[in-house]
Amino acid sequence: MQYNIYLAFTPLHLKIINSIPKKNNSILIILNKKNLNRFCNSYVQTEQFYKIYKFKSLFFNPFILMKINSKFQNINTVYAGNFKFFNFRLIQFFIDYKKLITFDDGVGGVSETYFNTDSNTIKEKIYSLFKLDILSIMSKHAFHYAIYDAQSSIFGNSIIPLNLEDISERFNYDGNVLLTTDKSEAGTMSKDDENRLLEKIIKNFNIKYLIHHPSKRFNRNFNNVQIIDEPYLSDDIVSYSKFNHVYSLSASSILGIVRLKKIPDENLTYLANKDAPVMQMLHTNTKINTINFEDL
């Protein structure tokens, strides 16, 4: 009996994995320091899977991975959205599999930072001692599922388009909404600078609602602004609501919104650093409004 393992670290991964055609006996492994049960209930057809493991943790427990590897000894394929993530290195070390299939993972996938195959860094050279380096991982790579239009040069012709399944839920939100990202959490902006930027955007663009990035912990609450907390991706909430205008502060969900094609380009505005990879892509492929947030 052969098995395939699907790795989900984010709600987006759950939606993508649910849409991938299944072969063999499918095992879903969910890992996140937050409980993703609500998103799992929204996106995952549990009957597709032979076994589902859910771990509320920052990192995999090596002993659990060893147990999974021992229980399912004929693992054919691992599906992952980010093979540079440390947790995937643990999978690489403890799970004996034959083939790797990757899929898009937000901005990191479009900018290729999640799929960069540079093996000359000190970290990669250390990883190579344990066969955990990028070259060892890529030796098992079969192809890449793309949910966005951007074509990664890293995968060349080994790209297969994937259409994500629609949701049945509809929402009654209206007015203007701002989609945030985890700038202060990632350390790309201080908490104070991020707070000032968010306040400026809320005031300048008459923001009524916020949909926060799943990793957002700081600068969440603002006066006279409501937080939308639904167990769905912001792409879906926005696309199946009645918003007047959607503003995205560097949020990768803008790519999903464009893909769903439910909102006219003129009703979308992307705010980011002028050199942001997604900003360049939107300039080239869409008529979406773009604003350098440094100019606000």
Side-chain angles (χ1 to χ4, degrees):
M1 185 179 292
Q2 285 193 327
Y3 301 93
N4 290 344
I5 290 180
Y6 298 80
L7 300 176
F9 303 133
T10 69
L12 175 59
H13 291 174
L14 291 171
K15 184 172 185 180
I16 294 172
I17 287 169
N18 192 63
S19 301
I20 293 174
K22 304 298 186 296
K23 295 180 180 179
N24 303 321
N25 291 285
S26 302
I27 299 168
L28 175 61
I29 301 179
I30 303 171
L31 175 76
N32 194 290
K33 59 185 177 182
K34 290 186 176 181
N35 190 329
L36 294 185
N37 282 345
R38 293 195 310 147
F39 290 95
C40 189
N41 293 337
S42 296
Y43 286 114
V44 175
Q45 300 174 49
T46 56
E47 65 274 11
Q48 291 186 341
F49 297 95
Y50 177 79
K51 183 72 175 178
I52 297 177
Y53 293 95
K54 300 176 182 179
F55 304 112
K56 186 181 177 183
S57 176
L58 187 61
F59 298 109
F60 279 125
N61 182 327
F63 294 105
I64 291 177
L65 293 180
M66 291 170 64
K67 187 182 292 186
I68 292 173
N69 190 60
S70 176
K71 184 175 182 179
F72 308 104
Q73 295 186 1
N74 190 9
I75 298 172
N76 184 59
T77 306
V78 169
Y79 293 78
N82 180 354
F83 57 59
K84 292 185 72 180
F85 191 30
F86 179 70
N87 277 300
F88 185 80
R89 310 292 181 135
L90 292 175
I91 289 285
Q92 175 78 3
F93 189 79
F94 289 104
I95 300 294
D96 182 20
Y97 68 96
K98 300 180 180 67
K99 190 166 57 175
L100 170 66
I101 294 175
T102 53
F103 49 79
D104 282 349
D105 189 8
V107 172
V110 172
S111 66
E112 301 185 351
T113 55
Y114 289 164
F115 305 122
N116 192 312
T117 56
D118 179 15
S119 59
N120 294 318
T121 65
I122 294 176
K123 183 187 294 186
E124 288 300 320
K125 290 178 180 178
I126 295 173
Y127 277 141
S128 68
L129 299 176
F130 304 95
K131 302 292 185 183
L132 304 177
D133 58 302
I134 293 297
L135 292 181
S136 296
I137 292 171
M138 287 301 291
S139 68
K140 297 183 178 183
H141 189 261
F143 64 86
H144 179 82
Y145 276 121
I147 61 172
Y148 305 128
D149 292 335
Q151 298 293 301
S152 171
S153 59
I154 291 171
F155 299 118
N157 295 322
S158 302
I159 297 177
I160 296 178
L162 179 68
N163 293 320
L164 301 187
E165 294 187 14
D166 199 0
I167 63 168
S168 58
E169 190 74 16
R170 296 297 181 268
F171 309 94
N172 292 318
Y173 302 112
D174 56 16
N176 294 344
V177 63
L178 172 65
L179 315 179
T180 73
T181 191
D182 53 346
K183 287 186 175 299
S184 54
E185 290 77 9
T188 58
M189 184 175 282
S190 72
K191 294 180 190 178
D192 289 342
D193 286 344
E194 181 187 58
N195 185 73
R196 283 190 288 270
L197 176 60
L198 288 169
E199 286 186 335
K200 192 176 294 185
I201 293 171
I202 290 168
K203 180 180 178 181
N204 289 356
F205 302 111
N206 192 28
I207 301 299
K208 183 178 179 181
Y209 294 101
L210 291 175
I211 302 179
H212 284 306
H213 187 280
S215 299
K216 200 88 193 82
R217 292 180 293 127
F218 312 129
N219 296 324
R220 289 181 56 85
N221 298 309
F222 295 87
N223 293 331
N224 303 316
V225 182
Q226 180 179 337
I227 296 174
I228 295 176
D229 182 22
E230 303 272 6
Y232 289 92
L233 297 171
S234 54
D235 326 15
D236 289 326
I237 297 171
V238 163
S239 296
Y240 298 106
S241 292
K242 301 174 182 178
F243 291 117
N244 297 333
H245 203 102
V246 179
Y247 295 87
S248 169
L249 178 57
S250 303
S252 62
S253 48
I254 194 73
L255 301 172
I257 294 167
V258 170
R259 173 178 46 79
L260 287 169
K261 299 179 181 178
K262 304 290 185 182
I263 300 179
D265 284 0
E266 58 266 26
N267 292 351
L268 297 171
T269 296
Y270 186 71
L271 301 104
N273 183 288
K274 63 181 179 180
D275 298 320
V278 174
M279 182 81 88
Q280 307 301 320
M281 191 191 83
L282 293 174
H283 273 308
T284 304
N285 300 324
T286 74
K287 296 181 180 179
I288 289 173
N289 308 293
T290 57
I291 297 175
N292 301 331
F293 61 69
E294 300 96 332
D295 297 334
L296 289 177

